[in-house]
Amino acid sequence: MSELRFRGAGARVDLVASDLLPSGVRDLVLDVLAPLKVAVDSVSADGVVDVTEVGQDVLVDGTALPADVDKAAAVVVGAVDRRLLGTTRCLCLHAAVLGGERGAAIAPAASGAGKSTLVAAGLQAGLRLVSDEAACLDPVDDVLWPHPRPLGLDGNSRRLLGLPSPAHGPPDSERATAPALLGLTAPVARPVPAAVVVVLERTSSEIPGAVVTSLSRGQGCAVLLANCLNIGPGRPWAPEAAWARLTALVQTLDVVRLRYDRPQEAAAALAELLA
């Protein structure tokens, strides 16, 4: 049985018995998860994702793969992503993270707020992908462990970014997009220092461009705490510990609000902040 090892969010996960995956599914998984793939060694993984066969079905962590190759690959990618975030010791925040010369910009935001589109525009502007979904803060040091999973971009986002429509399937559906199509990713084994917290505000202003204004560190800490992913009962971080960790973090960072209309404008502003 073969295995594939992936690293992200400061954790390592093995996809066990990956040779049971249909070849087209395995190839697609390797393509979109290329930034997370690392060499298999003798060190134990933090978690595993099991591939098994039951009759005619291939199961990934107990979920049968659909016949459609894209949907099947999405099941595998989702299982790896959940296991990485589920086994990490990091304090994870629901945020987009882009890296530049000064370090990383952490942009907390809810699902559907356009984080992935902003990250994709940032890559096109020369920034590095640290994560489009989870800022993974080291338990001790003020650094972020990269989690450069594939970007979920729908038809509107692809058109806005000048990307081609998918070769098959509904043209406007959300599809996993390999970061390599857009730019560079941060190496998963090398942490990135945090530099700035960016509170995003999407507008429909008649005046084009992006506007950056300063916020207090208290405002930055409150926004970060409101977007924690792994705090609470049965999870790695108690709320009190997360608050103490984030309070210490923001003392070393700038905190700003970024108002913007188009993601390209926001990406240019972030590139300037991180220059």
Side-chain angles (χ1 to χ4, degrees):
M1 294 289 185
S2 66
E3 64 184 44
L4 298 171
R5 171 162 288 182
F6 300 99
R7 181 167 181 170
R12 294 176 302 178
V13 164
D14 286 348
L15 179 63
V16 178
S18 63
D19 55 332
L20 296 179
L21 295 173
S23 59
V25 173
R26 191 177 191 274
D27 291 344
L28 187 53
V29 168
L30 286 173
D31 181 36
V32 298
L33 288 183
L36 301 178
K37 186 178 181 300
V38 294
V40 175
D41 54 34
S42 59
V43 180
S44 298
D46 298 302
V48 298
V49 174
D50 289 309
V51 183
T52 56
E53 281 184 322
V54 177
Q56 299 297 314
D57 292 329
V58 175
L59 282 63
V60 174
D61 272 357
T63 299
L65 294 184
D68 181 85
V69 171
D70 287 331
K71 292 180 180 179
V75 170
V76 180
V77 170
V80 172
D81 183 61
R82 287 190 298 273
R83 190 71 73 219
L84 286 168
L85 293 177
T87 56
T88 182
R89 294 173 54 248
C90 293
L91 176 58
C92 297
L93 313 169
H94 198 188
V97 189
L98 286 164
E101 292 181 11
R102 285 183 56 211
I106 308 169
S111 296
K115 295 190 302 300
S116 295
T117 307
L118 174 58
V119 164
L123 295 183
Q124 291 179 327
L127 297 174
R128 286 180 178 264
L129 172 64
V130 181
S131 179
D132 80 319
E133 186 70 13
C136 302
L137 176 63
D138 186 88
V140 177
D141 298 320
D142 291 338
V143 296
L144 302 165
W145 287 96
H147 186 55
R149 66 174 206 165
L151 307 179
L153 300 175
D154 62 16
N156 287 332
S157 293
R158 289 193 293 270
R159 285 189 290 272
L160 187 61
L161 296 163
L163 297 175
S165 297
H168 48 85
D172 287 334
S173 63
E174 182 175 304
R175 305 289 287 273
T177 302
L181 296 175
L182 296 155
L184 300 175
T185 61
V188 292
R190 187 182 309 159
V192 181
V196 58
V197 177
V198 181
V199 178
L200 301 175
E201 184 177 324
R202 192 80 181 267
T203 67
S204 298
S205 172
E206 295 179 357
I207 302 175
V211 178
V212 177
T213 55
S214 296
L215 295 177
S216 71
R217 290 193 170 99
Q219 288 171 300
C221 189
V223 171
L224 292 176
L225 187 65
N227 285 277
C228 286
L229 292 172
N230 57 348
I231 67 172
R235 297 189 176 185
W237 287 79
E240 298 80 7
W243 178 262
R245 183 69 190 87
L246 293 174
T247 300
L249 172 71
V250 296
Q251 300 309 310
T252 67
L253 307 181
D254 298 325
V255 182
V256 302
R257 184 188 307 279
L258 173 58
R259 291 188 174 94
Y260 70 100
D261 181 14
R262 300 178 66 251
Q264 287 89 344
E265 298 163 352
L270 288 175
E272 186 173 346
L273 279 172
L274 296 174

